[in-house]
Amino acid sequence: MFSELSTLDVYWSSKLLNFILLAIGFVFLRQLSRPYAFIIASVYATYTYMEVYSFTWSEAPFLLLGLLLAGITYQIFIGNWSGKNVVLLFAVCLALFLIRYIGAFSFAVPALLGLYFAYRGSYKPALYLFTSSIVLAMLAGAYLYINYRLSGFTTGFDRLEDETETIGAFIVMLFRGLLNEFLIIREYRPQNQPDYLLYVTATIQLAVLTFISFKIKKHYNFWQELRQNSFSMICIGIALLYLTAILALRFVSYFDALDYRLLSPFSFPLFIGLIYTFVALPDKHKDIVQAKYTLFAFFLLSLLLNLPKKFILQQLQQVL
């Protein structure tokens, strides 16, 4: 559709579309933290997200919608529960489902918000939010029913295979997938061992984390600051909701492996939440400022190492 509208061919339309999605994410993060938006946005330089945005998959819009979901949820949580925000929350949850079936995990967000407001005695927003969650579930059910009527399968074709991994193999796959989500610069590949670049970059990552932790601990209790930061906790909550949903589905259904395509919607909001709390720390102390710029330098290193430098140079030589 974007190719038709832009008159570009499909390949360049896909690149431009991903750039637009990145730009929207950057704008959102700038609204979130103007002084240090560049540090939060530098998380996109990790290996995982550079892979996601190098291809035209559903993950790129899915990650952006997950970010918007956290932002709208935060606005409603702090009391801005206007009809407009409830409608926006409804639209984002529906879009997440329409892009990927696992997006149905987001239907729990308005339901949980409804419980929160009901617990506080604010029954009007609770009613709106519960209604949104119920309508979302009904629309998803209707969508899946139409699939079943047209194809004989609720998701359009047979995704549920009889064979699944053993529990041991599943745990190994999960551990490897999660490990790669937290290896910022280079992923672990068993077939590439010994991978000395992986060992070096992992050591640098550990050194950077140790340095930052030492600098923060001198002045703040990071985990206490994290618990007091509503937006960060919402990001982490959304990450855990997604992880629970994808693990439950993947455990009973033998489809794609648990790699960065399935796990990036978990790690992305998790990183955003952690980094937002970090950059929100006041710059009263030189140690904190040094820690912030150290983190940015580390992400910049990831960007430089993961860029296809030879390919870019060849393309520039052809142009020049």
Side-chain angles (χ1 to χ4, degrees):
M1 183 178 69
F2 195 81
S3 176
E4 291 294 324
L5 292 174
S6 65
T7 69
L8 296 171
D9 63 43
V10 173
Y11 176 80
W12 286 111
S13 293
S14 73
K15 302 301 109 181
L16 183 57
L17 180 59
N18 279 355
F19 272 121
I20 291 172
L21 294 170
L22 278 172
I24 296 172
F26 292 161
V27 170
F28 175 85
L29 294 176
R30 180 161 175 75
Q31 298 303 313
L32 192 63
S33 172
R34 286 182 179 272
Y36 289 113
F38 69 97
I39 296 180
I40 308 176
S42 64
V43 74
Y44 283 100
T46 65
Y47 172 84
T48 291
Y49 312 127
M50 288 185 69
E51 282 291 292
V52 166
Y53 283 88
S54 295
F55 299 94
T56 309
W57 285 331
S58 58
E59 282 73 17
F62 199 86
L63 291 184
L64 175 61
L65 286 168
L67 193 59
L68 297 180
L69 176 64
I72 297 167
T73 301
Y74 172 70
Q75 289 300 316
I76 295 175
F77 178 79
I78 63 176
N80 299 331
W81 58 270
S82 63
K84 177 184 176 182
N85 281 336
V86 174
V87 170
L88 283 173
L89 179 63
F90 177 91
V92 169
C93 291
L94 183 60
L96 281 165
F97 170 74
L98 292 176
I99 288 177
R100 294 175 66 191
Y101 291 118
I102 192 60
F105 88 94
S106 63
F107 299 173
V109 173
L112 291 172
L113 278 173
L115 286 173
Y116 169 75
F117 280 104
Y119 175 77
R120 295 186 58 188
S122 301
Y123 298 111
K124 188 175 181 180
L127 178 62
Y128 289 163
L129 291 162
F130 280 133
T131 302
S132 296
S133 186
I134 293 170
V135 173
L136 284 167
M138 292 173 62
L139 288 174
Y143 187 99
L144 296 175
Y145 178 72
I146 291 172
N147 276 348
Y148 179 76
R149 293 285 295 178
L150 293 175
S151 66
F153 302 101
T154 54
T155 58
F157 62 92
D158 188 10
R159 297 170 183 263
L160 302 176
E161 298 185 11
D162 294 332
E163 272 190 48
T164 58
E165 303 99 344
T166 63
I167 294 179
F170 180 83
I171 292 174
V172 170
M173 176 181 62
L174 173 61
F175 176 79
R176 185 182 300 164
L178 291 175
L179 174 66
N180 283 330
E181 289 303 300
F182 293 104
L183 287 173
I184 301 298
I185 296 179
R186 189 172 176 86
E187 72 172 359
Y188 168 77
R189 298 186 180 96
Q191 66 274 18
N192 287 354
Q193 301 311 309
D195 185 345
Y196 297 108
L197 181 58
L198 169 65
Y199 307 153
V200 170
T201 55
T203 301
I204 294 173
Q205 179 175 334
L206 183 61
V208 168
L209 287 175
T210 302
F211 175 80
I212 291 174
S213 299
F214 175 76
K215 292 290 187 179
I216 294 175
K217 194 173 182 180
K218 289 171 65 177
H219 307 285
Y220 299 101
N221 183 328
F222 178 78
W223 302 112
Q224 183 178 343
E225 296 290 333
L226 178 65
R227 288 192 296 269
Q228 294 173 353
N229 191 308
S230 299
F231 177 76
S232 292
M233 292 305 294
I234 286 170
C235 285
I236 293 171
I238 289 173
L240 293 176
L241 273 177
Y242 173 85
L243 182 63
T244 301
I246 197 67
L247 290 183
L249 189 61
R250 184 59 181 75
F251 188 74
V252 300
S253 174
Y254 189 88
F255 51 94
D256 295 346
L258 290 171
D259 59 6
Y260 64 91
R261 290 192 62 221
L262 293 185
L263 292 176
S264 59
F266 157 69
S267 62
F268 183 69
L270 180 68
F271 282 141
I272 294 293
L274 293 172
I275 295 172
Y276 177 69
T277 293
F278 174 53
V279 300
L281 295 175
D283 291 341
K284 295 179 181 179
H285 309 283
K286 186 177 179 181
D287 289 321
I288 301 302
V289 177
Q290 290 176 346
K292 291 177 181 179
Y293 281 94
T294 299
L295 180 64
F296 175 70
F298 177 67
F299 281 126
L300 186 61
L301 175 64
S302 176
L303 177 65
L304 294 174
L305 288 177
N306 283 303
L307 279 175
K309 295 170 285 296
K310 290 183 180 179
F311 175 77
I312 293 174
L313 182 61
Q314 290 173 357
Q315 295 301 308
L316 288 175
Q317 288 175 340
Q318 291 179 8
V319 173
L320 299 176

